[in-house]
Structure formats: structure tokens, C-alpha cells
Amino acid sequence: MRFARPLVLLFLVFYFQRSYCQTAVDPWKISVDKVDPSNYYGVTVANGMIGVVSSPEPFRVKNVVLAGAYDQYGRGRVSNFLNSFNLLNMNLDIDGKRLDSKSAVNLKQELDMKHASFAGSFDYSDKATITYTYYSLRQLPFTVLMDVSVTAKKDLVISPSSVMEAPDALKDVENYYNEIDRPHVNLALLTSSANSPTGKLKLCASTTFLFTEDHKQEPRLIHEMWDNNMHLAKFSKSLKAGETYRFAVAGSSITSAHHPDPLNEAERLTIFAKLEGRDRLIKFHNQAWEELWKSDIQIEGDPQAQQDVHSMLYHLYSFSRAGTAFSLSPMGLSGLGYNGHVFWDTDVWMFPALLVLQPDIAKSLVEYRYQRLDAARQNAFSHGFKGAMFPWESADTGVEETPVWALSGPFEHHISACVALAAWNYYCVTQDKEWLREKGWPILSATADFWASRVERNGPGQYDIKNVVAADEWAENVDNNAFTNAAAIANLQNASAAAQILGIQSNADWMQVAKNIPILKMEGGVTREHASYKGEGIKQADVNLLPYPLKHITDPGQIRRDLEYYETRVPDEGTPAMTQAIFSLLYARLGDGQKAYHFFEEAFQPNLLPPFRVIAETKGGTNPYFATGAGGIIQSLLMGFGGLDITPKGITQIKSKLPDHWKSLKITGVGMSKKTYIVK
């Protein structure tokens, strides 16, 4: 007993230290006080069209990625994402000496998720303090901004350079420098164009300086051509001790995939940004993000989870935008991962989260599929089926883009049902019958026709779907996969329901097929993953997707039985993040808040990479940012802990359970009417 008081005191010290650390976590900003280039995974600033990935070096970005820009190069003989020009790279000379990462003392970096900006600050010896902030402007899809401030500690001369660099993959680079003089403004444009590796696309970028001085008093610019792949524009400015000087660089990047005349359009967009001016550019950018953040998830009682959830939402919002027909790759706009292709990752994992919180953005993702419906019809024809068979990997044209060594290309057929599920859910949330008639029905009916032709009719209850790659991709060329079969059933049922809503005569065979597709069981009543499954390890959720999102299994006892069986079949390494998110979602709906929280943390905590807590695809992985995982985890909050449910009548709320230490969960801006839901 004599040790009780010291132990109590030690516990109290630990408790208050832990509480202080938790409350010190900023819900909106991720700050890095020490930048280690050897252990650094960049974070992305993006606006749904152009993504800029951070670098540990001041005034440098790792790469610039444009949505929708693909060409064949590199591995796989398939279309790959392209890096665009590094149009935000800069040099800064002070008193004639080039500043580099070694001379940048006390370098700090910060991601502001609320305002979608990335900032760096540092000291240069005893001469100056420098800050730089860049934005991928939300209101201008092809335009970025770098804002720079230099505070002199001594009298000095600064010489900043705006540097335009072409990535290695581009060819036939041409560089231009133009000055357009008007009575009220001088427009100096640093511009480059290049062809993609095969010449399929032309990529163009242009930048200009934004000065605070009045016209005719701005610094004089000098253009330098270094080589075909790099040129720059620079100026010099003398500063007195204590003086702060601010300038900015605005730039635009666009390709012939986005505009028929990308060279002139890049310069026009840059001129537009120049004459808008720094203050208006940032003002409208912030306003656009304030509108997005009206749809938010707020956790009371867990500051670190709140910051992480904001990061996930920030990335999903950053990687997509309304008013387009572009979709999401597993890595979003954070790099060239998975060649920028579109998989079921979009339709099943990211789309539902965006549909609930940002229906206008979700519309872009399903529009992407609608515009590629003809290619899916041709794909079905080529495989001897009717209707529409969507490709496992899709890029710009909608044809199959899976490298031939991956069997998922010819065999992972559940993707067609996933596309159809997204289309049906879009109608359910929006209740837009006109959209359903014009775009949803063509998708739903064509994919239903595919499944009616895909099944092998071997008698009542035996309309088998054989020879597929399962949602669990370690199961190749198997028969009657649980997820594939249940997804096909949902597709057929939803197509029939859509026909009834629209007053269209549906194909009576669809429901006949749906009633006879088998879902197999094992001894003990556990749902069997596929006909030859015997308890081996699984790569990712398959059977456990039948309760959600497919709603095929509704009995709580069956849901729990399948969970308890398959959660022990997922290895600790080499599996993608979204599997544990589904476990979390289902346990929250079953009323087990603590087990739901265990899998919530397990879904992403082991996957976080320094210094900005970006999510890798797997535990110990090094390929951020895994937007698919973020989408699954956000669904665990919305549809799991939050109890939201997408029904044919719209969004409703069912019972769920929070972890004990969460005081409340508040979800704002839900659906078309932007409702608020609270769970305590």
C-alpha cells in the first residue's frame, strides 16, 4: 500500500500530460517543426484538377499532376498519368548567394487544411526571415499561386527567380517569354509547352510575377534560357533592415485533353490571375473552401482523430471537383500511383463519402462512367456478353487499361456492378428522376443486361457466376464469389426498381436471374467467400461487404458471425487500408463502439507516414496518398458511427454506437438539403 500514492501521482501526471498533448493538436493544421529530407513524404495541395506535391526543400515542389492527362509510356503498355511542368519552383539569391536547404535554418512547414494551403518558413543566417505559401486555387481549376514574403534583418539584395522546369517524360519542349505592355499593367509571361511521350497530348504552362508596387515601379525582369527543359524569369530588389517585401507567382497549367488550344489558354488563364491580383485570388479560394467545409465531420473528445479525419476529408475534397467528368484514382492527385487509373476504389470506397457530403462532386464521378458507357458496351461484346462490362482499370477513353500480367483486367467483373451501385445511390441521395432517366437508367439497364448474360443457368438456385477474380484479389479464377454474386443481385434489383420509378417496362428476366444467383455458406453458417474457399488468408474485405454497401445480409447475427470469422483472416501486412474500415463500420452498426474504434484506428494509424501523417496503402507502405483508404474510413464515420444510411427514399439515420471516449459526433452539410446529424 505504501506505493499507492506515488502510483496515483504518476498516473495523474501521465493523464494530464496526455490530455495536454491531445488538446494541443490543431484540428485544421498539421505543422512540422523539423523537416528531415531522408524521411519525408510530401503532402498534396490540389483543387480537383491540378495537384502540387510538397518537397522538403524550400521553394520546391516534388511534382505537379493534372487530372485527365494520360499517355502511354513507362511500364505496362497502358495509359499512365503525366506529370506537368514544375511551374512553382523558385530560386532565391540573397546578396548574390543561392539559398538552398542547408542554408535554410529552422525550416518549418505547415498544411492548412481549412484553407488548402501549404506554407514554409525559415531563417537565412542572420540576414532574413522568409515565408512562402502556395495554393492550388479552388475557384480556378488550372491555376496555382505562390505567395512569398522576405523580412530583412540587415540591408541586403534579394534576387528571386521563377523557374519553369519540364519533367523528364515530356519531349519537344519549347520555351517562350512574352511581355505585353498596357497603360495600366505590364504582363510578363514565362511559358513552356511540350508533347507527351507519344505526342498524343500537348502540355503547356505559364507563370507571371504579381508585385505590390504600382505600375511602372515594379522591378525590372530578366529572362534566362538555361536549356530546353528549364528557363526562368528573375528580378532584384534592395531591402533595408526591418523592411518586409512581398511578391507572388501565379501560374496555369493545361493540356490538349482539357482545351483545344492549351498554349494560348495557359497564357490567358495566367493573365486572368495576374489582373485578379493576389488578394482577390486568395479571397475567392478561401471562400470556395469555406463552402466545401460546410460539409464536415466533427468529433468531440478525440483531437487527434479529429485532425486525421479533417485530413482525409481534405484530400477527398482536394482530389475531386464538381462540374467535370473526371474521376478519382486510388492515389488521387498525389502522384502517378496506379497510373492514375480509375478502379472500384472510386465507386465503392470514395464515391459514397463524397455523395453524402458533396453530391455535386459525386455527380462528376458518375458522369465519368456515363460518358464511357459505349466503351463498356464494346468490352462486353468483345467478351461474348450483352450489355455493358466496365473495365477493371479505366483512364481517359474507358477501354480496359489493366496491364496484361494482372488477371483482374479480364476477370474482375464485379466492377460493372460497382459502377451500377454508384449510379443507383446517386439517384437515392439526390432523388433526381430526370438524371435517373437520362444517365442512371442507361448505366443500370446495360449492366443488368450484362449480368443476365454473364450467369450460367444450371437450374433453380444455380445461376452461377464462374471464373472471376474476387473482390479479395488473392482469389483468382474462382466460382460464385460472394461479393461478385451479391453485387450482381443488387445491380439486377436496382435496375428493376429504377424501371418502376420511371414507368419503364423492365426486363422480367432480371429478377428471375437475381433470385437464382447463389450465395454460398460453410459449415457453421459463415458465408463462404467462393466455391473453393477453405479458410485461407484474404487480401481485403469481400464477404463483409454484403451487409454494407450491398445490404444483401441484414441479420445482425449473420453479420457478426461473418465478421468474427473473416477479421482473423486478414494478415497484418500487405493488405489495403479500407478492409478494417468496413469492420469498423459494421461493428458500430452492431452497437460495439469499442471494437469499431479498434478497427477505425487499425485502418489507418499503422499506415501513416511522416511528417504530415499521409496515408499509405498498406501498413509499412511508402506510396501515399491512399485516397481509397480515406474514403473507406470516412464511410466508417458517416455510415458506421454516424449511422447514416442511403435508401431509395434518401438519407436516413439508423442506430449506431460511438467509442466510450467520444463525447459526440456531428456531421454537417449532409445530402442535397445540407442537414446536420448528431450522435452522442
Side-chain angles (χ1 to χ4, degrees):
M1 293 296 295
R2 60 182 177 174
F3 296 107
R5 182 169 294 178
L7 283 172
V8 169
L9 290 173
L10 183 62
F11 170 78
L12 289 173
V13 168
F14 171 78
Y15 175 80
F16 285 116
Q17 282 182 336
R18 185 174 182 270
S19 299
Y20 173 78
C21 291
Q22 283 188 335
T23 55
V25 175
D26 192 307
W28 291 108
K29 295 180 179 179
I30 303 176
S31 302
V32 178
D33 291 335
K34 294 183 179 179
V35 176
D36 179 5
S38 66
N39 194 25
Y40 185 99
Y41 297 87
V43 70
T44 307
V45 169
N47 63 7
M49 187 65 70
I50 182 169
V52 182
V53 185
S54 73
S55 164
E57 297 183 56
F59 296 127
R60 287 288 187 274
V61 298
K62 180 183 177 184
N63 53 343
V64 177
V65 180
L66 275 173
Y70 296 93
D71 195 13
Q72 286 197 6
Y73 70 103
R75 71 188 193 113
R77 303 201 313 266
V78 294
S79 292
N80 300 338
F81 246 0
L82 288 164
N83 279 325
S84 185
F85 290 91
N86 286 334
L87 70 170
L88 284 183
N89 282 348
M90 291 187 61
N91 295 330
L92 179 62
D93 296 352
I94 296 182
D95 290 338
K97 185 175 181 181
R98 177 67 46 84
L99 188 150
D100 58 23
S101 56
K102 293 181 180 178
S103 56
V105 181
N106 301 321
L107 175 62
K108 299 177 182 179
Q109 293 182 337
E110 182 177 87
L111 174 69
D112 182 342
M113 296 176 287
K114 193 168 190 177
H115 300 103
S117 64
F118 181 89
S121 64
F122 58 93
D123 294 314
Y124 176 67
S125 66
D126 60 349
K127 292 188 175 183
T129 297
I130 298 139
T131 65
Y132 61 97
T133 306
Y134 60 79
Y135 309 79
S136 187
L137 296 168
R138 188 74 194 192
Q139 77 278 26
L140 299 175
F142 300 101
T143 304
V144 295
L145 178 74
M146 173 90 80
D147 190 30
V148 182
S149 176
V150 180
T151 299
K153 298 178 182 178
K154 297 180 176 180
D155 292 356
L156 51 81
V157 177
I158 63 170
S159 297
S161 305
S162 174
V163 182
M164 183 77 76
E165 292 180 287
D168 291 339
L170 302 188
K171 66 176 190 177
D172 304 325
V173 181
E174 295 183 359
N175 298 318
Y176 312 87
Y177 181 73
N178 302 317
E179 289 196 17
I180 305 170
D181 196 25
R182 290 289 187 271
H184 64 297
V185 67
N186 179 263
L187 301 165
L189 300 171
L190 185 73
T191 304
S192 291
S193 73
N195 293 325
S196 62
T198 70
K200 174 184 175 182
L201 294 181
K202 181 175 284 294
L203 296 87
C204 303
S206 183
T207 64
T208 189
F209 281 106
L210 281 63
F211 295 114
T212 58
E213 292 92 340
D214 293 334
H215 182 46
K216 301 294 186 184
Q217 296 180 359
E218 303 119 322
R220 185 174 69 88
L221 293 176
I222 298 172
H223 177 239
E224 292 185 357
M225 182 79 74
W226 284 67
D227 57 41
N228 284 343
N229 292 326
M230 193 268 277
H231 64 138
L232 60 86
K234 67 180 184 179
F235 68 91
S236 294
K237 181 80 174 180
S238 297
L239 302 182
K240 296 292 185 182
E243 182 181 357
T244 297
Y245 183 69
R246 172 173 252 166
F247 66 94
V249 174
S252 301
S253 183
I254 194 167
T255 81
S256 55
H258 309 96
H259 193 279
D261 183 11
L263 178 58
N264 286 321
E265 187 67 6
E267 292 193 337
R268 292 187 196 103
L269 292 172
T270 300
I271 291 170
F272 181 86
K274 165 83 170 181
L275 294 178
E276 279 283 89
R278 171 199 171 274
D279 292 346
R280 283 171 59 83
L281 291 174
I282 295 174
K283 172 187 174 182
F284 293 134
H285 168 82
N286 288 341
Q287 287 179 354
W289 272 94
E290 286 168 9
E291 188 64 29
L292 287 172
W293 283 119
K294 289 179 180 178
S295 297
D296 191 14
I297 298 173
Q298 299 166 15
I299 301 169
E300 184 184 7
D302 194 338
Q304 185 57 67
Q306 177 67 87
Q307 185 192 71
D308 290 331
V309 167
H310 274 159
S311 178
M312 296 173 208
L313 281 175
Y314 160 80
H315 280 91
L316 289 177
Y317 291 176
S318 293
F319 293 158
S320 55
R321 67 183 294 125
T324 76
F326 293 119
S327 194
L328 282 162
S329 78
M331 302 304 175
L333 296 174
S334 70
L336 308 184
Y338 286 106
N339 298 334
H341 291 173
V342 180
F343 300 70
W344 77 315
D345 300 55
T346 303
D347 310 280
V348 170
W349 299 102
M350 293 180 272
F351 176 82
L354 290 167
L355 176 60
V356 167
L357 295 173
Q358 303 288 347
D360 286 345
I361 291 178
K363 188 176 185 179
S364 294
L365 309 187
V366 76
E367 177 68 18
Y368 169 86
R369 293 298 195 183
Y370 171 74
Q371 291 191 10
R372 289 153 185 81
L373 182 57
D374 285 345
R377 292 183 190 277
Q378 178 61 43
N379 195 33
F381 174 79
S382 298
H383 288 82
F385 303 123
K386 295 179 180 179
M389 175 183 172
F390 281 89
W392 178 243
E393 296 188 33
S394 181
D396 50 351
T397 65
V399 303
E400 183 62 73
E401 297 274 8
T402 305
V404 295
W405 45 261
L407 297 183
S408 49
F411 294 107
E412 199 155 354
H413 296 170
H414 68 77
I415 180 65
S416 294
C418 297
V419 171
L421 182 65
W424 174 246
N425 282 340
Y426 180 78
Y427 164 73
C428 290
V429 169
T430 64
Q431 297 292 297
D432 187 342
K433 289 186 181 179
E434 189 65 25
W435 179 89
L436 181 63
R437 185 179 301 276
E438 291 185 4
K439 298 185 177 181
W441 170 250
I443 293 172
L444 286 160
S445 59
T447 48
D449 285 341
F450 166 73
W451 292 113
S453 71
R454 178 66 177 83
V455 297
E456 299 177 28
R457 306 187 187 210
N458 297 315
Q462 286 300 125
Y463 282 26
D464 301 307
I465 302 177
K466 295 187 174 183
N467 199 20
V468 299
V469 171
D472 164 23
E473 290 178 326
W474 289 346
E476 296 180 330
N477 301 101
V478 298
D479 298 339
N480 289 326
N481 165 241
F483 179 77
T484 302
N485 285 20
I489 293 169
N491 191 163
L492 293 158
Q493 292 173 337
N494 293 337
S496 299
Q500 187 173 4
I501 291 168
L502 296 172
I504 296 172
Q505 183 67 44
S506 68
N507 185 344
D509 188 48
W510 293 345
M511 290 306 294
Q512 174 68 16
V513 173
K515 291 174 184 176
N516 286 284
I517 295 176
I519 302 296
L520 307 180
K521 292 287 182 70
M522 296 189 289
E523 291 183 14
V526 172
T527 304
R528 186 185 293 275
E529 188 186 88
H530 54 82
S532 53
Y533 182 76
K534 294 181 173 60
E536 56 268 25
I538 62 173
K539 177 184 177 183
Q540 58 202 48
D542 190 301
V543 166
N544 303 113
L545 296 170
L546 271 61
Y548 177 89
L550 297 181
K551 300 186 178 182
H552 186 87
I553 295 176
T554 57
D555 174 55
Q558 185 66 52
I559 295 170
R560 185 178 292 275
R561 190 178 303 117
D562 290 344
L563 269 172
E564 291 175 348
Y565 182 86
Y566 285 102
E567 72 184 50
T568 65
R569 265 67 184 176
V570 184
D572 287 337
E573 295 183 359
T575 60
M578 63 273 201
T579 298
Q580 287 78 11
I582 281 295
F583 295 163
S584 175
L585 185 155
L586 294 177
Y587 273 118
R589 287 186 163 197
L590 289 172
D592 192 336
Q594 290 310 109
K595 200 156 190 181
Y597 182 74
H598 163 75
F599 283 113
F600 168 77
E601 285 205 308
E602 187 73 10
F604 72 98
Q605 291 281 3
N607 303 55
L608 296 177
L609 295 172
F612 295 102
R613 299 176 69 85
V614 292
I615 300 175
E617 182 176 8
T618 61
K619 299 173 185 178
T622 57
N623 61 339
Y625 186 86
F626 190 49
T628 306
I633 297 157
I634 293 299
Q635 286 189 71
S636 78
L637 289 154
L638 297 173
M639 288 78 154
F641 296 118
L644 301 185
D645 195 38
I646 297 173
T647 77
K649 299 296 183 182
I651 296 174
T652 62
Q653 191 174 29
I654 61 178
K655 286 185 179 181
S656 61
K657 188 72 168 68
L658 298 182
D660 292 341
H661 65 292
W662 286 12
K663 296 179 182 178
S664 69
L665 178 70
K666 183 178 181 181
I667 307 169
T668 63
V670 172
M672 303 300 288
S673 56
K674 299 299 179 185
K675 288 184 179 179
T676 294
Y677 293 86
I678 299 174
V679 181
K680 293 186 177 181

